[in-house]
Amino acid sequence: MNRYLHEVEAQLGALSRRDRARALEALSAQLGELADAGIDPAEALGPAEQYAADLRDALTGDAPAADSRLRVLGVPLELRGPVSAEVRSRTWDPDSPRLLVPRLFGAGWTVNLGALAVRLRLIRPDDATSDVLDRVPKSAVSGAQLVPLAIAAAAAGSLALAWRGLPDRVATGFGLGGRRTGTGSRRSLIAAVAVGAVPALWAQRRRVPVEDRLVRAASATTLATLSTSVVAATVLDARRPRGRWGLLLAAALPAGLAAALAVIVLPLRAGLRRAWRDARAEGAAEGTAAGAAAESSQ
């Protein structure tokens, strides 16, 4: 099943990253159903090359002429959320130079981690190819998926340890100066933990393409980091009310961004190193074969 998916992916280079992600997610789900039924995908869907050609024709022909996203007073509004592969692909699009893209959900903008990685010279725009992604170690992908889970678990564990010592009412908002601006029930912290825990669990899906697994993990890492900062700031404020603990929320934004970037870039660079080693080995083998052929012809 994975081989069929990779063969189709290799033929979709002409599509935009967004269309490619959307098509591969749908195909991955379909292949999962075929695997459960014990059906060969080539028999059900036809040869991978033909399937990819049909996808290219369909997506190229149906591409909208203009941006169809909702806008309110010029601000983009997204209602589908990160469950959509098309929406998720915005956060990792190294082919696009746009650093700010519409948010995954709600109104406003978020950072295109792909463009940021290119600007920081961590990768090149053409590094995230299917050939490189196929060489990303499975352990690196699994490790990336565990990052948001570990952060969310730390937040939940910290809250559990501090729960009995918390007052009934805790801070529910902080001002620009870092001081609390409002209070509410301490049960609101459970919702704060859920903001990080639910995406972290959602990011554990494995029967999807490698790139999508990494993008899911990166998105969940950002939310888990923000969730943890909310819990930490609230607990610390309850213990030392005069502190400017709300500043932790501001610090969580760049920290979450850096962690999300690492979740994608580090496995990708591992795949690049493998691709370079394989290319050198193939070059050396070809050189040896050519030398042997030259000697035998003399």
Side-chain angles (χ1 to χ4, degrees):
M1 297 296 175
N2 286 336
R3 180 179 179 181
Y4 190 92
L5 184 67
H6 292 326
E7 289 177 355
V8 171
E9 183 180 7
Q11 302 291 325
L12 300 181
L15 297 179
S16 68
R17 185 172 296 273
R18 184 179 306 165
D19 286 341
R20 191 161 64 245
R22 182 174 55 181
L24 291 175
E25 182 182 45
L27 175 59
S28 178
Q30 192 171 10
L31 290 176
E33 295 175 358
L34 293 175
D36 293 339
I39 300 175
D40 184 356
E43 295 180 1
L45 305 176
E49 294 79 3
Q50 185 59 48
Y51 185 90
D54 293 340
L55 272 178
R56 288 196 305 270
D57 292 341
L59 292 174
T60 303
D62 294 340
D67 190 348
S68 59
R69 283 189 290 268
L70 295 174
R71 289 183 177 272
V72 178
L73 299 177
V75 178
L77 176 64
E78 180 57 69
L79 301 178
R80 289 171 294 177
V83 294
S84 166
E86 178 186 357
V87 174
R88 285 197 305 276
S89 67
R90 296 177 195 158
T91 61
W92 178 254
D93 189 2
D95 295 332
S96 171
R98 295 180 59 189
L99 191 59
L100 295 179
V101 293
R103 292 181 61 180
L104 300 186
F105 186 76
W109 292 267
T110 188
V111 176
N112 175 6
L113 294 174
L116 180 60
V118 171
R119 292 196 182 192
L120 294 176
R121 298 186 178 182
L122 299 175
I123 63 168
R124 295 178 302 181
D126 58 348
D127 279 344
T129 62
S130 58
D131 185 54
V132 171
L133 290 168
D134 286 344
R135 287 176 167 81
V136 174
K138 292 182 179 180
S139 59
V141 180
S142 299
Q145 289 181 288
L146 289 177
V147 170
L149 202 59
I151 297 174
S158 299
L159 179 60
L161 291 174
W163 186 259
R164 288 190 177 183
L166 292 176
D168 292 336
R169 298 188 66 80
V170 296
T172 55
F174 295 91
L176 294 177
R179 298 191 185 279
R180 73 164 74 173
T181 57
T183 60
S185 171
R186 65 177 181 176
R187 294 184 183 276
S188 62
L189 286 173
I190 298 176
V193 170
V195 168
V198 172
L201 293 172
W202 164 77
Q204 302 310 304
R205 186 177 178 187
R206 297 182 181 276
R207 296 178 67 174
V208 294
V210 168
E211 187 173 34
D212 193 37
R213 290 171 67 182
L214 295 176
V215 171
R216 286 169 180 255
S219 299
T221 296
T222 302
L223 291 173
T225 303
L226 292 174
S227 168
T228 302
S229 70
V230 170
V231 172
T234 305
V235 170
L236 290 170
D237 179 80
R239 293 179 176 177
R240 298 181 180 179
R242 294 186 178 182
R244 297 179 181 270
W245 304 114
L247 296 178
L248 289 175
L249 303 183
L253 295 176
L257 193 62
L261 195 60
V263 161
I264 297 184
V265 171
L266 292 180
L268 184 61
R269 289 179 68 87
L272 281 168
R273 287 193 294 270
R274 281 192 171 186
W276 292 335
R277 285 198 300 267
D278 291 347
R280 286 198 298 268
E282 290 176 4
E286 290 176 359
T288 302
E295 290 180 1
S296 62
S297 64
Q298 292 178 355

